[in-house]
Amino acid sequence: MNKDFQNLSPELLEIYCKKLKVNSCPHCNSKRFIKHSRYKYTQRYRCLECGRTFIPSTGTSLHYLHKKEVFIEYSKIIRDQGLLSLKKMRELCKISHLTAFDWRHKILLSMPENNRKFNGEVQCDDIWFVYSEKGRKLVAGARRRPLREPFKHREFTCRLISLSDGKNTEMKLVKVGNLNFKDYLPAFEDKIGRNSVIYNVSGEQKLKRFAKERAAIHKFVGDINKKTEAKYFAIRNELKEFINKTLKGVSTKYLQMYAGYYSYCKHKIFDPLSEAFLNRRRVWFTYTRLDVIYYHFVYFATQVLLIDLNKRTWKSTEKVPIPDNCMVYKITDWDVDQRYSFEEVKEYFDRK
Ligand SMILES: [Zn+2]
């Protein structure tokens, strides 16, 4: 046997030989590629379109991983026991805190897209969480304690729009701040099948306006009965319990990922080692651009400035400028009475 295959677990071999399907170039999506020597225990390819080389795992959750065998163990724990605390994962897999954190995100990012439409009775509501900078060490006084009266500070509530028809659930983080009926639009897109009936408990007035615009397509139920209400509270409470208790809070930056995980697990088995997960080739790309994606979200959908972007960069990460039209808050114990100008923040960071 080739020496490169020695010490290779049968599982890793199976992933490379069977589970990972090479159908197109992960860089440019071209189907024109040729075999191009070998890389350790696997085949290397070269794209005839963009000229770049790749292996079966390029761009996937396994991309650039040194301890692939440990990653497999890590994935199995998540599949069988759900998301355990990072501390627990660190102990079980004997990895660093940062690795436990990174791997969890890579796994969450490898979750297959939900292309299913919503049909029949569709529950559509918004669920709020307090804006959180959890884990952001450089931000002075980053939030540690829960906000006492979140609705006094609506600019700090994150709004997720949730859609569910009993067989399919999806959530989208649309905004930090007050919801407007227009905010429902991006969440809906073309996700809801014709002749579906939309039920809504939490944002009734906003949705009414939305429903009016689309009256030809959907029937909208404004009268809320006990059954509808119960469905809404079931989803809301479950998600809140998961985010606030099981995970002990999630930074707004990652809220979408965890809400996605919750929605996925409601109807399917979350298996990071399945072909559907392993063949997601945008994981590395998205992972290294999380700051950029979050920056866009903050820029367009919030009134809160985030500072300290680009704390960690990869050679493929583009630099992010500080948005100059955002309100800047100094978050000290969540007394949101101090606002700073862009110049003041810039000066603060230039001094660092
Ligand atoms: Zn290519």
Side-chain angles (χ1 to χ4, degrees), residues 311-328:
K311 198 160 54 181
R312 293 168 71 202
T313 52
W314 292 263
K315 67 174 185 249
S316 53
T317 316
E318 59 257 48
K319 282 272 173 267
V320 176
I322 296 177
D324 55 3
N325 69 342
C326 264
M327 285 293 194
V328 179

Side-chain angles (χ1 to χ4, degrees), residues 7 9 63 105 110 164 179 182 224 242 250 256 265 325:
N7 306 322
S9 77
H63 188 97
H105 289 159
S110 70
S164 183
L179 269 188
K182 278 193 177 130
I224 292 128
F242 172 63
V250 161
Q256 177 67 64
C265 293
N325 69 342

Side-chain angles (χ1 to χ4, degrees), residues 24-33 46-54:
S24 60
C25 164
H27 307 295
C28 74
N29 238 347
S30 167
K31 294 205 183 310
R32 292 178 59 232
F33 57 87
R46 190 167 68 85
C47 175
L48 294 173
E49 212 66 52
C50 70
R52 298 177 71 180
T53 59
F54 57 92

Side-chain angles (χ1 to χ4, degrees), residues 286-303:
T286 316
Y287 172 74
T288 54
R289 279 163 184 78
L290 276 176
D291 270 341
V292 181
I293 295 163
Y294 186 54
Y295 159 75
H296 281 284
F297 171 73
V298 167
Y299 196 95
F300 290 111
T302 81
Q303 306 156 316

